[in-house]
Amino acid sequence: MPHFIIEYTDNIKAEADIPALLKKINQSLISHDDVFPVGGIRSRAIELHDYFIADGTEDDAFVHAALKIGAGRPESVKKAVCDELFAIMKDHFADLFAKRYLALSMELLEFSEAGTYKQNNIHARYKKTTSEK
């Protein structure tokens, strides 16, 4: 963990450059490798085709993000990371936000390790022996 999942309406796909946003998000999370193991970072996007926004009279759009992390990190760390990620989202969509109706949102979902199942050999690639550091 962490996993960053965005849902976005298909009416912004052509201008949203979602792959670039996911790359920026991963780079930000990687910069916090003292908090999040690099091998556990995942970002993904879900394009929405079926949605209804407000009263349906405009071509409204939205992007909603969820940051899923395991429990145990200090509130100050969670706030700093979330502030940073939401700033990246706002910056990424600034031009689009300026020219159309667009709602941006993000939430933090924190869970206990009980009830989660994982197998991941990616972590080993990022572990360094003390002599390599």
Side-chain angles (χ1 to χ4, degrees):
M1 293 307 231
H3 288 208
F4 188 82
I5 305 157
I6 63 167
E7 299 172 321
Y8 67 98
T9 55
D10 61 359
N11 58 350
I12 61 171
K13 182 177 183 169
E15 298 176 86
D17 197 0
I18 298 300
L21 173 62
L22 297 178
K23 184 175 182 177
K24 292 174 199 175
I25 294 298
N26 268 41
Q27 290 169 335
S28 173
L29 292 169
I30 288 168
S31 75
H32 296 280
D33 65 350
D34 58 326
V35 178
F36 303 116
V38 176
I41 296 170
R42 313 273 187 281
S43 295
R44 56 190 173 274
I46 302 164
E47 181 181 340
L48 302 173
H49 302 282
D50 300 312
Y51 52 88
F52 199 90
I53 303 170
D55 64 3
T57 60
E58 294 287 337
D59 186 31
D60 298 329
F62 72 82
V63 178
H64 176 72
L67 176 64
K68 297 171 74 173
I69 64 171
R73 291 164 179 95
E75 290 299 321
S76 60
V77 168
K78 292 184 289 189
K79 180 174 180 357
V81 169
C82 287
D83 287 351
E84 185 176 319
L85 295 178
F86 196 60
I88 289 168
M89 286 179 61
K90 290 191 302 183
D91 182 63
H92 183 83
F93 291 107
D95 292 341
L96 200 54
F97 192 89
K99 65 182 178 183
R100 67 165 303 131
Y101 294 112
L102 175 63
L104 300 176
S105 59
M106 189 180 94
E107 65 182 319
L108 173 64
L109 303 167
E110 191 174 20
F111 59 89
S112 79
E113 291 295 319
T116 64
Y117 302 85
K118 303 175 215 163
Q119 182 175 358
N120 179 347
N121 65 6
I122 299 170
H123 288 292
R125 194 169 70 227
Y126 295 98
K127 292 191 180 191
K128 295 181 181 177
T129 65
T130 19
S131 63
E132 292 177 291
K133 289 185 180 179

